[in-house]
Amino acid sequence: MRRDAAFSTPRVRAHASHSSWPPVLHSPVLLSGANSLEAESARTALLESWRAKGVVVLRAGSDAAKRATPNDLVSLSKEFGEVEMNPGVKKQFLWPGIPQVQVLGNVRREDGEPRALFQSCQRLDHVKYDPIKRAPVWHTDQLFRNPQPRGSLLMCIAGPPVGGGTAFASTELSESNLPPELIDSLRDKVLVMSYAHHNAACKRSTPSYPLLTAEQRAKYPPITRPLITRAQANGEEVLNCFNSSVMAVLPSTAPPLQPDEMEHYETTGEKHDSVEELCSTVLPLLTAQSYVHQWEPGDVVIWDNERCVHAATWYDSEKYAREMWRTTFR
Ligand SMILES: O=C(O)CCC(=O)C(=O)O
Ligand SMILES: [Fe+2]
């Protein structure tokens, strides 16, 4: 198999500035646990593409999806980094006996209990961020962790024929169409964020969302870091700053939040006005160019959590099944 022949350009809404973004590798062998030369060269190609492009699509095919086990996804994930478990995910949404694999979607166990984490999404006819609807929920995963997760693999076992795609947009400043003055105004800003604030913010829209225990709060104290950082993969400047854990975006010279303000944001989920200002000015520009991956069984998308933001999109969950397996690596 020639490596370049195995890659192709996606059909849907490519990132305008690089028309083959993200690259798509057509290869069934990577999910079979095979140790052949073909698998080795496909693995190398996949890793190289991920490093170069920040998002890569593996299209392994529906037969591969039928045969693949959660362990196959874990093995593939280990090629990218150390596989880790997401804190705070309910046990019922983790694969029994293989807790590194989280199940997303709307599928249920035989007794009717959900065995996948269901995310509700607003139905929209575009994926560019709408500041009025505050949707789609474009984000970086788990920004409140230090270090934050490096990337994720998301694999489709079953998906709707329409809808339920995952949208991706680059966060690299050199790829963005943000005006230079806007970028300059972000340079001296810092983010204040915490896991407790994240859960309290999610609880405002989903009342069943759990607040952190005192023990969890002690383990994940609030953190502050520059809004613009450099991606570990290629040293490019990135906007690694969109997550429900962000409670304030402050000039670096501003006095830090007072303990009572911090407590307020961490327990109520309310945000400093600066967060909405950041989202409403930057996100529509950043997500004006995006790629929506319409899933087929056997697809795996691997993304760099620093070099892109992503968002789930709506599907008719009454009509169609969606089952996705997910791993995270650092
Ligand atoms: O379900 C999706 O399309 C994306 C879910 C997501 O945000 C994630 O897995 O991090
Ligand atoms: Fe996510």
Side-chain angles (χ1 to χ4, degrees), residues 3-327:
R3 179 184 300 167
D4 51 354
F7 279 99
S8 70
T9 307
R11 283 164 294 142
V12 267
R13 269 196 276 208
H15 199 273
S17 58
H18 33 13
S19 58
S20 63
W21 190 85
V24 183
L25 173 65
H26 296 263
S27 174
V29 288
L30 287 179
L31 280 175
S32 65
N35 245 339
S36 57
L37 264 182
E38 187 193 359
E40 194 48 48
S41 96
R43 234 185 316 272
T44 307
L46 191 70
L47 270 163
E48 278 175 5
S49 287
W50 178 79
R51 277 197 207 103
K53 302 290 183 180
V55 183
V56 60
V57 178
L58 165 64
R59 183 148 275 186
S62 54
D63 287 345
K66 278 182 213 135
R67 281 192 309 263
T69 65
N71 272 327
D72 292 331
L73 185 66
V74 174
S75 301
L76 182 61
S77 307
K78 283 182 182 159
E79 300 290 332
F80 291 86
E82 187 189 326
V83 181
E84 56 174 20
M85 280 174 54
N86 286 348
V89 179
K90 277 193 186 164
K91 201 166 168 243
Q92 81 190 85
F93 304 142
L94 301 177
W95 193 272
I98 311 174
Q100 301 95 320
V101 176
Q102 188 190 334
V103 185
L104 308 180
N106 59 356
V107 287
R108 291 175 181 270
R109 297 192 316 218
E110 273 177 10
D111 64 5
E113 282 298 306
R115 64 178 177 88
L117 178 70
F118 178 71
Q119 276 173 304
S120 63
C121 297
Q122 289 189 45
R123 189 176 187 170
L124 300 166
D125 57 7
H126 56 82
V127 291
K128 181 174 148 177
Y129 182 70
D130 180 334
I132 308 287
K133 295 189 168 134
R134 296 187 184 165
V137 183
W138 285 96
H139 65 280
T140 294
D141 288 327
Q142 303 193 346
L143 209 51
F144 52 82
R145 285 170 65 191
N146 195 11
Q148 73 184 92
R150 187 68 191 284
S152 278
L153 285 82
L154 189 60
M155 173 176 179
C156 177
I157 300 300
V162 284
T166 308
F168 295 89
S170 173
T171 54
E172 289 187 25
L173 285 180
S174 60
E175 296 289 343
S176 80
N177 51 7
L178 266 59
E181 319 79 71
L182 177 56
I183 294 178
D184 283 345
S185 75
L186 302 174
R187 283 200 185 282
D188 81 319
K189 297 269 170 39
V190 294
L191 309 173
V192 187
M193 54 207 161
S194 83
Y195 191 11
H197 172 76
H198 172 272
N199 279 32
C202 292
K203 195 176 179 63
R204 293 174 79 84
S205 54
T206 311
S208 62
Y209 215 89
L211 292 178
L212 292 202
T213 61
E215 199 184 324
Q216 285 171 315
R217 277 189 72 180
K219 193 169 168 199
Y220 294 99
I223 55 175
T224 299
R225 65 155 183 71
L227 191 163
I228 296 179
T229 49
R230 285 194 184 271
Q232 293 170 70
N234 61 358
E236 286 287 323
E237 285 189 313
V238 284
L239 288 170
N240 185 13
C241 56
F242 297 103
N243 184 274
S244 309
S245 63
V246 178
M247 51 187 137
V249 184
L250 304 174
S252 55
T253 49
L257 291 180
Q258 294 305 301
D260 57 333
E261 285 178 287
M262 193 77 102
E263 181 68 15
H264 174 76
Y265 292 132
E266 284 206 274
T267 53
T268 62
E270 275 178 28
K271 291 176 187 290
H272 189 271
D273 291 345
S274 53
V275 181
E276 185 163 347
E277 195 187 315
L278 173 74
C279 292
S280 59
T281 49
V282 177
L283 263 182
L285 293 168
L286 205 67
T287 61
Q289 298 174 325
S290 64
Y291 165 74
V292 181
H293 187 69
Q294 185 62 47
W295 294 95
E296 288 180 17
D299 286 354
V300 186
V301 177
I302 305 111
W303 70 87
D304 181 325
N305 200 29
E306 294 181 310
R307 288 187 289 161
C308 67
V309 276
H310 61 278
T313 65
W314 181 89
Y315 66 102
D316 187 342
S317 56
E318 299 291 310
K319 198 164 167 187
Y320 301 117
R322 187 176 195 253
E323 177 174 354
M324 310 292 289
W325 296 351
R326 182 189 195 287
T327 55

